Amino acid sequence: MNNIRKLTYEILEIGNKQHMLGRVIDIFLIALISLNVLFVILETLPSISADNHLWFHRFEVFSVLVFTLEYIARVWSAVEDDERNHHQPFWGRIRYMLTPMALIDLIVILPFYLSMVITGIDLRFMRVLRLLRVFKLTRYSSSMSLLLQVLHRESRSISAALFVLFMLIIVASSLIYFAEHKAQPDVFSSIPAAMWWSIVTMTTVGYGDVIPITAMGKIMASIISIMSLGIVALPAGLLASGFSEALRQRRRTYEKMVNLAIQDGV
Amino acid sequence: MNNIRKLTYEILEIGNKQHMLGRVIDIFLIALISLNVLFVILETLPSISADNHLWFHRFEVFSVLVFTLEYIARVWSAVEDDERNHHQPFWGRIRYMLTPMALIDLIVILPFYLSMVITGIDLRFMRVLRLLRVFKLTRYSSSMSLLLQVLHRESRSISAALFVLFMLIIVASSLIYFAEHKAQPDVFSSIPAAMWWSIVTMTTVGYGDVIPITAMGKIMASIISIMSLGIVALPAGLLASGFSEALRQRRRTYEKMVNLAIQDGV
Amino acid sequence: MNNIRKLTYEILEIGNKQHMLGRVIDIFLIALISLNVLFVILETLPSISADNHLWFHRFEVFSVLVFTLEYIARVWSAVEDDERNHHQPFWGRIRYMLTPMALIDLIVILPFYLSMVITGIDLRFMRVLRLLRVFKLTRYSSSMSLLLQVLHRESRSISAALFVLFMLIIVASSLIYFAEHKAQPDVFSSIPAAMWWSIVTMTTVGYGDVIPITAMGKIMASIISIMSLGIVALPAGLLASGFSEALRQRRRTYEKMVNLAIQDGV
Amino acid sequence: MNNIRKLTYEILEIGNKQHMLGRVIDIFLIALISLNVLFVILETLPSISADNHLWFHRFEVFSVLVFTLEYIARVWSAVEDDERNHHQPFWGRIRYMLTPMALIDLIVILPFYLSMVITGIDLRFMRVLRLLRVFKLTRYSSSMSLLLQVLHRESRSISAALFVLFMLIIVASSLIYFAEHKAQPDVFSSIPAAMWWSIVTMTTVGYGDVIPITAMGKIMASIISIMSLGIVALPAGLLASGFSEALRQRRRTYEKMVNLAIQDGV
């Protein structure tokens, strides 16, 4: 029994490249998650959804069953992890269940079972929860986990840049509100409404649904959009340089490992 | 008396981490400033403003009282600062009152008292002055002061990039004016009007309220928007690299201080 | 005969700078390709196309003849390349014909001959194939081949950034769909329809044809556009830094070669 | 006489900081150029232009006189420059007159004299020539000349990036033309017309005047706008890094000069 549990753990969590079965299961799960995301998206197309309602439902039941089995297998074999205590079958598993990845695994299957017990849950809300399955891919994507690492490491400087951006948004919204409120009382009805304009302008999206028309408003908008060029580049620049730095570091680590392996071989 | 003044100075200005009271007051003031900003924003929402007029007024009175006390305490205890001369109680305080942060502290409370004496001040102008309270947060935000440092240090290169941008805006506005004035005399009525188009295009906001329609105008707009990609990236790039450089420097300084502290401990 | 083949190979493939004829042919081919691209573009202008139909056709026949001759000459002389086996006239040429550049050379002349045999091919599809001739310029553009190199070398990190971007697009589309579907059932009719909005917003193009109107949709759009500032900068930053790194490397290699040549001369 | 010529040369060209008169003349000329630019801009405002026609004309005559005097003085004293041969009063001056800065000096005054001889010159064209006076500021702006230096030094890599951008614009325009021509024959009437869409989209300006409406067109637009994020960042990134590199270099050169001056002083 313990051998099977060890094997389950190795196949599911370690991503052991020697295990042929581990790779097959990984590919199967990635394909299933991708199909799930694709199907939630396609289901919103009336032309496709109408005729294939039954098939969508069957696929959903199948997916939930697989994800439930996967979840049970992961929780059951979690105690094989040396970092979680071996000899604490109950608390070790509870601790595993509280990790972010395990919580996502639970959240994406729970609604299905809840909808059987409780009736009248909003279908659209159910779909949002089903789409969260896309985050199950994080486990298999090294780039996603790298980005999360970078966000964690650079969190101080990025939040500093975001704070500056936030203050500029407040000041910009207030200024444009006081400049345009009289000329366009419907569009710039309040500072929160003016914030929509500020964000659309400062991110340079510029839909054109809300535009200053007074001379004063246009002068302010000009100054704000030129200033925001620099402010908005701050978080983007910090994230990009952090990401490329982390990629370079990982490559170096990988090369070092290869070199060590070669030396050991000698 | 002098002991109390010294304590007041330490609590308010130094941000001493040992003083429990200093931290409590800091958090209280940050919360009060944030609430002030939030309330000025919310007051512009008719649905909220209508019913809670009295509460907004009471909060305003309370805030001004606290900020006034804070201002008096800061000015009174300013002579404790060694950089400002101890033995010059009057001129030392005057010099403190002329620092940017102290001026902001004064400006955000003054209108309240003025409105009691003089009647008929524009309410909307009063609100702008009240929103300036957001800048009181600068004292507590290391990222904001870091940005100001970077702006100061890189001011020469950033103003150089802005001058180039400014010349390109003038040339672009003139060219588009001469190309489009005949076809759209209302929209491109003058070069200042064409400047609005230039800035909206060159910052890539692109609202779409003013668009060239002649072939010549479109060719010019194409060249201008491709050229501006490079010119507009200059100030943004300089600011971003300056900011991330300053962040790295501060981190190194901090590490050095920690190392010194460890060595001293030994 | 073999001497002529060797000469043909040197003139066409090596771009030998000593050969006066090689340079003349290069310039002639670059001009012909550029004219071809220009003419396909001009042919879509009704005012030009109507009167000059015959000239366009004559130029097309002439171009195809030249490109056919070029193609035959390249295939015939391909065996001169030491990397492809000299002594295998048939398989060496087949292998050459399967290289990307040779395939492009074939694809851009084939439709002309096919249209003689088969009637009723869509004219517009023919034009797309003719426009592919622009890619024949890649052979002569060191910057284009440099970019392809950078894309190849940085493919892992760029695809990592694109994967993150792709996940953000899916999540953003779903969120905005659930927020706006009820208010604007025609515009945000499905998640694929909402993807158009996501991409237009996240790349900061912001046409303004699809805009959230509910408060919830606007809040989500604000968060998405601020987040995308950082995520979208990732692939751009990686490509730009990779490209400038490759340019610097090439300059260094070139300088080294010059130095070696000088030392050899001594 | 020669002493006066030498003095004129030093005052006008060298920008000698010891000469009080040189600095006064510099400031006067910068102010006059700036006022000229401002007045050409203001003259296009009907409300201002109508009442002050006479004043605008007087200022124009005065400016042209000053610029003519400046031009004559510069040409006359040009032979003092050691690089241009002292002893060749005629050819030395001709060579000076053919430098870019001297040509600009001539072009901005010539139209005024021409309009006296020839009647019926287009007034709008005259204004464009008058606005060229803004380029006279280049002489006094170190940032502008620095940018020109960077453009010159990085010209190879920037033109490489522009070539890639140019090819992407052609391919993008053709693809969107073939996808959208049938659905919107008026808007995407030809490939040149589709180029307007390509440039507006790829620079992320996104006016929204031309938008794909077919599913195929939207898919292509999505791919193009994501691809262009990277391609468009290339020239901007190269220019920005070149500019900041040049700024750093200049600062180092300046520091070295200061150090040398200090050592000499010792």
Side-chain angles (χ1 to χ4, degrees):
Chain A
M1 194 65 187
N2 272 17
N3 279 352
I4 299 174
R5 198 173 67 187
K6 199 169 176 61
L7 191 70
T8 311
Y9 177 73
E10 279 168 1
I11 286 170
L12 283 175
E13 293 285 345
I14 300 185
N16 205 328
K17 299 235 165 163
Q18 280 98 325
H19 268 291
M20 190 59 201
L21 188 65
R23 278 157 77 186
V24 167
I25 287 181
D26 268 13
I27 290 166
F28 171 72
L29 282 175
I30 291 172
L32 190 66
I33 298 165
S34 305
L35 278 177
N36 260 276
V37 172
L38 187 67
F39 278 26
V40 175
I41 290 172
L42 289 180
E43 234 184 303
T44 63
L45 282 171
S47 58
I48 290 177
S49 159
D51 301 330
N52 304 295
H53 210 273
L54 192 63
W55 287 106
F56 277 120
H57 183 69
R58 279 179 189 161
F59 180 75
E60 171 66 9
V61 173
F62 172 71
S63 302
V64 168
L65 281 180
V66 174
F67 291 146
T68 308
L69 278 176
E70 183 205 350
Y71 182 68
I72 291 168
R74 279 188 198 278
V75 172
W76 176 56
S77 65
V79 286
E80 293 291 333
D81 186 352
D82 289 336
E83 293 176 33
R84 281 176 200 88
N85 199 323
H86 236 281
H87 311 293
Q88 291 192 311
F90 182 74
W91 287 110
R93 282 183 179 116
I94 291 288
R95 252 177 288 141
Y96 171 77
M97 286 166 77
L98 293 174
T99 59
M101 280 315 299
L103 281 174
I104 285 177
D105 284 346
L106 183 63
I107 288 169
V108 299
I109 50 169
L110 214 59
F112 181 84
Y113 297 108
L114 282 180
S115 70
M116 288 182 153
V117 185
I118 312 156
T119 52
I121 298 179
D122 186 10
L123 251 171
R124 283 162 60 226
F125 183 66
M126 291 283 293
R127 270 199 197 123
V128 175
L129 289 173
R130 271 168 62 200
L131 252 175
L132 288 178
R133 287 174 194 167
V134 79
F135 288 114
K136 280 176 77 93
L137 285 177
T138 311
R139 209 192 298 269
Y140 307 101
S141 154
S142 56
S143 64
M144 198 69 196
S145 53
L146 195 67
L147 186 72
L148 291 175
Q149 263 178 51
V150 172
L151 279 175
H152 184 76
R153 205 195 309 165
E154 299 276 325
S155 60
R156 267 189 66 99
S157 60
I158 288 172
S159 63
L162 283 179
F163 177 76
V164 173
L165 182 62
F166 178 71
M167 270 184 72
L168 191 61
I169 289 173
I170 285 183
V171 173
S173 309
S174 312
L175 288 178
I176 207 77
Y177 169 74
F178 291 116
E180 291 287 321
H181 179 59
K182 263 195 181 160
Q184 304 187 79
D186 292 334
V187 181
F188 291 96
S189 61
S190 62
I191 293 183
M195 276 186 179
W196 172 242
W197 172 87
S198 300
I199 291 169
V200 167
T201 299
M202 288 171 62
T203 56
T204 78
V205 171
Y207 288 128
D209 55 341
V210 189
I211 303 171
I213 52 169
T214 64
M216 185 52 109
K218 284 183 177 180
I219 291 169
M220 275 175 181
S222 301
I223 296 169
I224 289 165
S225 52
I226 288 175
M227 276 181 68
S228 65
L229 285 176
I231 304 298
V232 153
L234 291 186
L238 292 172
L239 196 62
S241 72
F243 193 66
S244 74
E245 175 59 33
L247 276 167
R248 220 173 303 141
Q249 220 165 72
R250 197 171 60 171
R251 214 177 291 158
R252 250 179 277 140
T253 313
Y254 179 73
E255 278 163 9
K256 219 179 273 176
M257 274 169 60
V258 170
N259 285 335
L260 277 174
I262 290 169
Q263 289 178 345
D264 285 4
V266 176
Chain B
M1 192 66 186
N2 272 19
N3 279 351
I4 298 174
R5 198 173 69 188
K6 199 169 177 60
L7 192 70
T8 309
Y9 177 72
E10 278 168 1
I11 285 169
L12 283 175
E13 294 286 345
I14 300 185
N16 205 326
K17 300 235 164 163
Q18 280 98 326
H19 269 292
M20 192 58 200
L21 188 65
R23 278 157 80 187
V24 167
I25 287 180
D26 269 13
I27 290 166
F28 170 72
L29 282 175
I30 291 171
L32 190 66
I33 297 164
S34 306
L35 278 177
N36 261 276
V37 173
L38 186 68
F39 278 26
V40 175
I41 290 173
L42 289 180
E43 233 184 304
T44 64
L45 282 171
S47 58
I48 290 177
S49 159
D51 303 330
N52 305 294
H53 209 273
L54 191 66
W55 288 105
F56 277 120
H57 182 70
R58 278 178 190 161
F59 180 75
E60 171 67 9
V61 173
F62 172 71
S63 303
V64 169
L65 282 180
V66 172
F67 291 147
T68 308
L69 278 175
E70 182 205 351
Y71 182 68
I72 291 169
R74 281 188 197 278
V75 171
W76 175 58
S77 65
V79 286
E80 294 290 333
D81 186 352
D82 290 335
E83 293 175 35
R84 281 175 202 89
N85 199 323
H86 235 280
H87 312 292
Q88 290 191 312
F90 181 75
W91 288 110
R93 281 183 182 117
I94 290 288
R95 251 177 289 142
Y96 171 76
M97 285 166 78
L98 293 173
T99 58
M101 279 314 300
L103 281 174
I104 286 178
D105 284 347
L106 182 63
I107 289 169
V108 299
I109 51 169
L110 214 59
F112 181 84
Y113 296 109
L114 282 179
S115 71
M116 287 181 152
V117 185
I118 313 157
T119 51
I121 298 179
D122 186 9
L123 250 171
R124 282 163 60 226
F125 183 67
M126 291 282 293
R127 268 197 199 125
V128 175
L129 289 174
R130 271 169 61 199
L131 251 175
L132 288 178
R133 286 174 194 167
V134 80
F135 288 113
K136 281 175 76 93
L137 284 177
T138 312
R139 209 192 297 268
Y140 308 101
S141 155
S142 57
S143 65
M144 198 70 196
S145 53
L146 195 66
L147 186 72
L148 290 175
Q149 262 180 51
V150 172
L151 277 175
H152 184 76
R153 205 195 310 165
E154 299 276 327
S155 61
R156 268 188 66 99
S157 61
I158 288 172
S159 64
L162 282 179
F163 177 75
V164 173
L165 181 63
F166 178 71
M167 271 185 71
L168 191 62
I169 288 173
I170 285 182
V171 173
S173 308
S174 312
L175 289 177
I176 206 75
Y177 169 75
F178 292 116
E180 290 287 320
H181 179 59
K182 264 196 180 157
Q184 304 187 77
D186 292 334
V187 181
F188 291 97
S189 60
S190 63
I191 293 183
M195 275 187 180
W196 172 242
W197 172 87
S198 301
I199 291 170
V200 166
T201 299
M202 288 170 62
T203 56
T204 77
V205 170
Y207 288 129
D209 55 340
V210 189
I211 302 171
I213 52 169
T214 65
M216 184 53 108
K218 285 183 177 179
I219 291 169
M220 276 176 180
S222 302
I223 296 168
I224 290 165
S225 52
I226 289 174
M227 276 182 68
S228 65
L229 285 176
I231 303 300
V232 154
L234 291 187
L238 292 172
L239 196 62
S241 72
F243 193 66
S244 74
E245 174 60 32
L247 275 167
R248 220 173 304 139
Q249 222 165 70
R250 198 171 59 170
R251 213 178 292 159
R252 249 180 277 137
T253 313
Y254 179 73
E255 278 163 10
K256 219 178 273 175
M257 274 168 59
V258 169
N259 284 335
L260 278 175
I262 290 170
Q263 289 178 345
D264 286 4
V266 175
Chain C
M1 194 64 186
N2 272 18
N3 278 351
I4 298 173
R5 199 174 67 187
K6 199 169 175 62
L7 192 69
T8 311
Y9 176 73
E10 278 169 1
I11 286 170
L12 283 174
E13 293 286 346
I14 299 185
N16 203 327
K17 299 236 164 164
Q18 280 98 327
H19 269 289
M20 190 60 200
L21 189 65
R23 278 158 78 186
V24 167
I25 288 180
D26 269 14
I27 290 165
F28 171 71
L29 282 175
I30 291 172
L32 191 66
I33 297 164
S34 306
L35 278 176
N36 260 275
V37 172
L38 187 66
F39 279 26
V40 175
I41 290 173
L42 289 180
E43 234 184 303
T44 62
L45 282 171
S47 58
I48 290 177
S49 159
D51 302 329
N52 304 296
H53 211 272
L54 191 63
W55 287 106
F56 277 120
H57 183 69
R58 279 179 189 160
F59 180 74
E60 171 67 9
V61 173
F62 172 71
S63 302
V64 169
L65 281 181
V66 173
F67 291 147
T68 309
L69 278 175
E70 184 205 350
Y71 182 67
I72 292 169
R74 280 188 198 277
V75 171
W76 175 56
S77 65
V79 286
E80 294 291 333
D81 186 352
D82 290 335
E83 293 176 34
R84 280 173 202 92
N85 198 322
H86 235 279
H87 312 292
Q88 290 191 311
F90 182 74
W91 287 110
R93 282 183 180 116
I94 290 288
R95 249 177 291 142
Y96 172 76
M97 286 165 76
L98 293 174
T99 58
M101 280 315 299
L103 281 174
I104 285 177
D105 284 347
L106 184 62
I107 288 168
V108 299
I109 50 168
L110 213 60
F112 181 84
Y113 297 108
L114 282 179
S115 71
M116 287 179 153
V117 185
I118 313 156
T119 51
I121 298 180
D122 185 10
L123 250 170
R124 282 164 59 224
F125 184 66
M126 290 283 292
R127 269 197 199 125
V128 175
L129 289 174
R130 272 169 63 200
L131 251 176
L132 288 178
R133 285 172 195 168
V134 80
F135 287 114
K136 280 174 77 91
L137 284 176
T138 311
R139 210 193 297 271
Y140 308 102
S141 154
S142 57
S143 65
M144 197 69 196
S145 53
L146 194 68
L147 186 71
L148 290 175
Q149 263 180 51
V150 171
L151 278 176
H152 184 77
R153 203 194 311 164
E154 299 276 326
S155 61
R156 267 190 66 99
S157 61
I158 288 171
S159 63
L162 283 179
F163 176 76
V164 172
L165 182 62
F166 178 71
M167 270 184 70
L168 191 62
I169 289 173
I170 285 182
V171 173
S173 309
S174 313
L175 288 177
I176 206 76
Y177 169 75
F178 292 115
E180 289 287 321
H181 179 58
K182 264 197 181 158
Q184 304 187 80
D186 292 334
V187 182
F188 291 97
S189 61
S190 63
I191 293 182
M195 275 185 179
W196 172 241
W197 173 85
S198 300
I199 291 169
V200 167
T201 299
M202 286 170 63
T203 56
T204 76
V205 171
Y207 289 130
D209 56 340
V210 189
I211 303 171
I213 52 169
T214 65
M216 184 54 108
K218 284 183 176 180
I219 291 169
M220 276 175 180
S222 301
I223 296 168
I224 289 165
S225 52
I226 289 174
M227 276 181 69
S228 65
L229 284 176
I231 304 299
V232 154
L234 290 186
L238 292 171
L239 197 62
S241 72
F243 193 66
S244 74
E245 175 60 32
L247 276 167
R248 220 173 304 141
Q249 221 164 72
R250 198 170 61 171
R251 214 177 291 159
R252 250 180 276 138
T253 314
Y254 178 75
E255 279 164 9
K256 220 179 272 176
M257 274 168 59
V258 170
N259 284 337
L260 278 173
I262 290 169
Q263 289 179 345
D264 286 4
V266 175
Chain D
M1 193 66 185
N2 272 18
N3 278 352
I4 298 174
R5 199 173 67 188
K6 199 169 175 61
L7 192 69
T8 311
Y9 176 74
E10 279 169 359
I11 286 169
L12 282 175
E13 294 285 345
I14 300 185
N16 204 326
K17 300 234 163 166
Q18 280 97 330
H19 269 290
M20 191 58 202
L21 188 65
R23 278 157 77 187
V24 168
I25 288 180
D26 270 15
I27 290 165
F28 171 72
L29 284 174
I30 290 171
L32 191 65
I33 297 164
S34 305
L35 278 177
N36 261 275
V37 172
L38 186 68
F39 279 26
V40 176
I41 291 172
L42 289 181
E43 232 183 306
T44 63
L45 281 171
S47 57
I48 289 177
S49 161
D51 303 330
N52 305 295
H53 211 273
L54 191 65
W55 287 105
F56 277 120
H57 183 69
R58 279 178 190 161
F59 180 74
E60 171 66 9
V61 173
F62 172 72
S63 303
V64 168
L65 281 179
V66 173
F67 291 147
T68 308
L69 278 175
E70 184 204 352
Y71 182 68
I72 292 169
R74 280 189 197 277
V75 171
W76 175 56
S77 66
V79 287
E80 293 291 333
D81 187 352
D82 290 335
E83 292 175 34
R84 281 175 203 90
N85 199 323
H86 234 282
H87 312 293
Q88 290 191 313
F90 182 73
W91 287 111
R93 283 184 180 115
I94 291 288
R95 249 176 291 141
Y96 172 77
M97 285 166 77
L98 294 174
T99 58
M101 279 315 298
L103 282 174
I104 285 178
D105 284 346
L106 183 62
I107 288 169
V108 300
I109 50 169
L110 214 59
F112 180 83
Y113 297 108
L114 283 179
S115 71
M116 286 180 154
V117 186
I118 315 157
T119 52
I121 298 180
D122 186 9
L123 250 169
R124 282 164 60 225
F125 183 66
M126 290 283 293
R127 268 198 199 124
V128 175
L129 289 173
R130 272 168 62 200
L131 251 176
L132 288 178
R133 285 172 195 167
V134 79
F135 288 113
K136 279 175 80 91
L137 283 177
T138 312
R139 210 193 297 271
Y140 308 101
S141 154
S142 56
S143 65
M144 198 71 195
S145 52
L146 194 68
L147 186 71
L148 292 175
Q149 264 180 50
V150 172
L151 278 176
H152 184 76
R153 204 195 311 165
E154 299 277 326
S155 61
R156 267 189 67 98
S157 62
I158 287 171
S159 64
L162 283 179
F163 177 75
V164 172
L165 182 62
F166 179 70
M167 271 185 70
L168 191 63
I169 287 173
I170 286 182
V171 173
S173 308
S174 312
L175 288 177
I176 206 76
Y177 169 74
F178 291 116
E180 290 286 321
H181 179 58
K182 264 196 180 159
Q184 304 187 77
D186 292 334
V187 181
F188 291 97
S189 60
S190 63
I191 293 182
M195 275 184 180
W196 172 242
W197 173 86
S198 301
I199 291 169
V200 167
T201 300
M202 286 170 62
T203 56
T204 76
V205 171
Y207 288 129
D209 55 340
V210 190
I211 303 171
I213 52 169
T214 65
M216 184 54 106
K218 284 183 177 178
I219 291 168
M220 277 176 181
S222 301
I223 295 168
I224 289 164
S225 53
I226 289 174
M227 276 181 67
S228 65
L229 284 177
I231 304 299
V232 154
L234 290 187
L238 292 172
L239 195 63
S241 71
F243 193 68
S244 75
E245 175 60 33
L247 276 166
R248 221 173 302 139
Q249 222 165 69
R250 198 171 61 171
R251 214 178 293 159
R252 251 180 274 136
T253 313
Y254 179 75
E255 278 164 9
K256 220 179 273 176
M257 275 168 59
V258 170
N259 285 335
L260 278 174
I262 290 168
Q263 288 178 345
D264 286 5
V266 177

